[in-house]
């Protein structure tokens, strides 16, 4: 059973991707994620780090929050899969991944999150971070569903 059957995953980000490659990447993975259930994209208004962080925190009130940030922990895909299984085991119903704007997250936002997760030690455009995160969520979905996509 895929985790999405019992858990809603959402990515909260500042503004929709405006660059072509990212729009295509987001559509590509959202389409592939569709059979697995509930993965949502939610956008807040762009702005300063302080304003965007406040909006992201307000929008994700009540969710298990994961801040996406290059300063965070690096998980392997298998560790990501184990975290999701663990959330399921602990009846987490809603997990929100928070992507910041050009100036990143505030310290307060990082403190309010259960995890601060890095996709690489390098800083990416927020649009690219969104596509990479979606691919990893898709990869974890296929692992949980037993579909042949990920190879160790
Ligand atoms: C251009 S980056 C912001 C960089 C900003 N200077 C900072 O100090 O965080 C925009 C957003 O993309 C996401 N992001 C960029 N690179 C990332 C990475 N390597 N891992 C995880 N998220 C990343 C983060 O959510 C970040 O807030």
């Amino acid at each position: 059973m895929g985790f999405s059957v019992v858990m809603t995953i959402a990515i909260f980000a500042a503004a929709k991707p405006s660059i072509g490659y990212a729009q295509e990447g987001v559509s590509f993975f959202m389409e592939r994620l569709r059979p697995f259930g509930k993965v949502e994209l939610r956008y807040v208004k762009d702005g300063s780090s302080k304003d965007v962080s406040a909006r992201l925190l307000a929008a994700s009130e009540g969710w298990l929050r994961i801040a996406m940030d290059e300063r965070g922990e690096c998980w392997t895909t298998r560790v990501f899969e184990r975290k999701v299984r663990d959330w399921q085991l602990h009846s987490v119903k809603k997990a929100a991944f928070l992507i910041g704007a050009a100036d990143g997250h505030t310290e307060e936002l990082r403190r309010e999150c259960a995890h601060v997760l890095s996709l690489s030690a390098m800083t990416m455009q927020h649009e690219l971070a969104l596509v990479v995160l979606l691919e990893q969520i898709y990869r974890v979905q296929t692992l949980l569903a037993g579909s042949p996509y990920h190879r160790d």
Side-chain angles (χ1 to χ4, degrees):
M1 190 201 321
F3 67 80
S4 52
V5 173
V6 291
M7 183 190 296
T8 300
I9 298 276
I11 303 174
F12 291 76
K16 283 188 178 181
S18 57
I19 306 174
Y21 85 84
Q23 291 170 336
E24 199 175 318
V26 167
S27 304
F28 181 92
F29 285 110
M30 286 304 283
E31 192 56 40
R32 269 147 193 81
L33 279 161
R34 201 186 301 274
F36 293 95
K38 240 173 163 204
V39 177
E40 301 173 359
L41 288 180
R42 302 191 185 187
Y43 299 105
V44 302
K45 200 166 147 243
D46 205 355
S48 68
S49 171
K50 194 165 169 243
D51 289 348
V52 170
S53 287
R55 288 183 194 119
L56 288 171
L57 284 175
S60 61
E61 185 70 51
W63 294 64
L64 176 91
R65 297 184 180 111
I66 302 100
M68 300 308 298
D69 194 304
E70 63 271 26
R71 301 161 191 78
E73 306 159 43
C74 268
W75 297 348
T76 63
T77 301
R78 287 290 184 180
V79 168
F80 191 1
E81 179 201 2
R82 278 202 296 280
K83 297 274 183 205
V84 173
R85 287 187 191 278
D86 199 51
W87 297 338
Q88 278 188 312
L89 216 62
H90 290 89
S91 302
V92 172
K93 294 277 184 286
K94 302 190 300 182
F97 293 84
L98 311 182
I99 296 184
D103 295 319
H105 297 305
T106 58
E107 195 48 51
E108 188 203 345
L109 183 142
R110 282 190 282 271
R111 269 201 312 271
E112 292 294 324
C113 289
H115 298 283
V116 180
L117 175 59
S118 170
L119 296 165
S120 150
M122 294 182 179
T123 303
M124 303 176 200
Q125 288 179 316
H126 67 274
E127 287 98 338
L128 179 57
L130 172 58
V131 176
V132 175
L133 175 61
L134 276 173
E135 197 271 346
Q136 286 303 304
I137 291 172
Y138 175 67
R139 193 170 282 275
V140 168
Q141 290 272 29
T142 62
L143 278 170
L144 294 167
S147 304
Y149 177 70
H150 179 75
R151 297 168 198 204
D152 286 314

